[in-house]
Amino acid sequence: MPASSRPARAGSVRVAAWQRQHLGDADRRRIMEAARRLERRSHQPGMHGGALRRTGIIVLWTLLYRGPSRHGVCDPSIGQLAEWSGCARSTVQLALSRIEAAGIMGHVRRGLVVAGRWCQWTSAYLFASPEQWAASDTEARSAEVSLEKKKAMERGREGGGSALPEAERVALAAKWGLVMA
């Protein structure tokens, strides 16, 4: 059968080859485990979650396991993701922005030109391997740097030192109307 240059149906859009991504079960598990590690690592005490939060993990799982079609294209709508994950549309949008900010996935806006006006049809979601995610700054710091920072913070609490030179501290105190003791 010859390859046709036209879409299969009127109004349908061809999916570019780079918008397809076939993920196996091992790839999905690796991405989910790395996302959970990122969530645990970025969690701050007293906060509700880390970089992704609970809804980010749920939406990511939904995208990985329910989103891709048999052709390798992951392009569910926001409404479909909200229905599948049991979250509100606005919550899904916030979760997608957190997932994208972490570098776990990216999206490509796809649309149609209707009556000379571009209308978004759907978004295609593409996943990055955990090695390509944004690196955490805590992993790049050595133990010596952390120890020096801890010592400097303890000196600052005791009033024994400051990161600013004395002249700059006096100038800033005068500018802000603070009395230096």
Side-chain angles (χ1 to χ4, degrees), residues 159-175 178-181:
S162 173
L164 294 175
E166 183 66 27
E168 287 184 42
R169 272 194 4 207
V170 171
L172 284 174
K175 179 180 176 183
L178 299 174
V179 179
M180 293 293 291

Side-chain angles (χ1 to χ4, degrees), residues 62-142:
T62 304
L63 275 171
L64 283 171
Y65 287 96
R66 295 200 66 182
S69 67
R70 60 188 168 128
H71 304 293
V73 180
C74 183
D75 61 352
S77 66
I78 299 290
Q80 189 67 53
L81 281 172
E83 183 181 324
W84 285 342
S85 63
C87 299
R89 288 174 54 96
S90 59
T91 305
V92 169
Q93 288 171 331
L94 287 172
L96 286 173
S97 66
R98 285 193 301 266
I99 294 168
E100 204 164 348
I104 297 172
M105 65 159 210
H107 80 278
V108 178
R109 293 179 69 196
R110 298 187 303 174
L112 303 168
V113 176
V114 178
R117 189 172 157 191
W118 189 84
C119 300
Q120 184 169 350
W121 170 51
T122 186
S123 291
Y125 301 100
L126 302 168
F127 300 97
S129 66
E131 294 82 29
Q132 297 171 331
W133 296 1
S136 171
D137 65 334
T138 57
E139 293 173 353
R141 287 185 277 155
S142 67

Side-chain angles (χ1 to χ4, degrees), residues 3-14:
S4 172
S5 62
R6 296 179 320 158
R9 294 186 182 139
S12 66
V13 176
R14 279 196 183 279

Side-chain angles (χ1 to χ4, degrees), residues 27-62:
D27 297 327
R28 289 184 179 112
R29 278 194 304 272
R30 191 167 43 96
I31 291 172
M32 280 306 298
E33 284 305 312
R36 288 185 181 113
R37 279 194 308 272
L38 172 68
E39 176 67 13
R40 284 190 300 269
R41 201 173 50 234
S42 62
H43 184 265
Q44 299 291 322
M47 301 298 287
H48 286 288
L52 301 177
R53 302 212 175 123
R54 182 183 65 86
T55 54
I57 296 291
I58 291 170
V59 170
L60 179 62
W61 185 92
T62 304

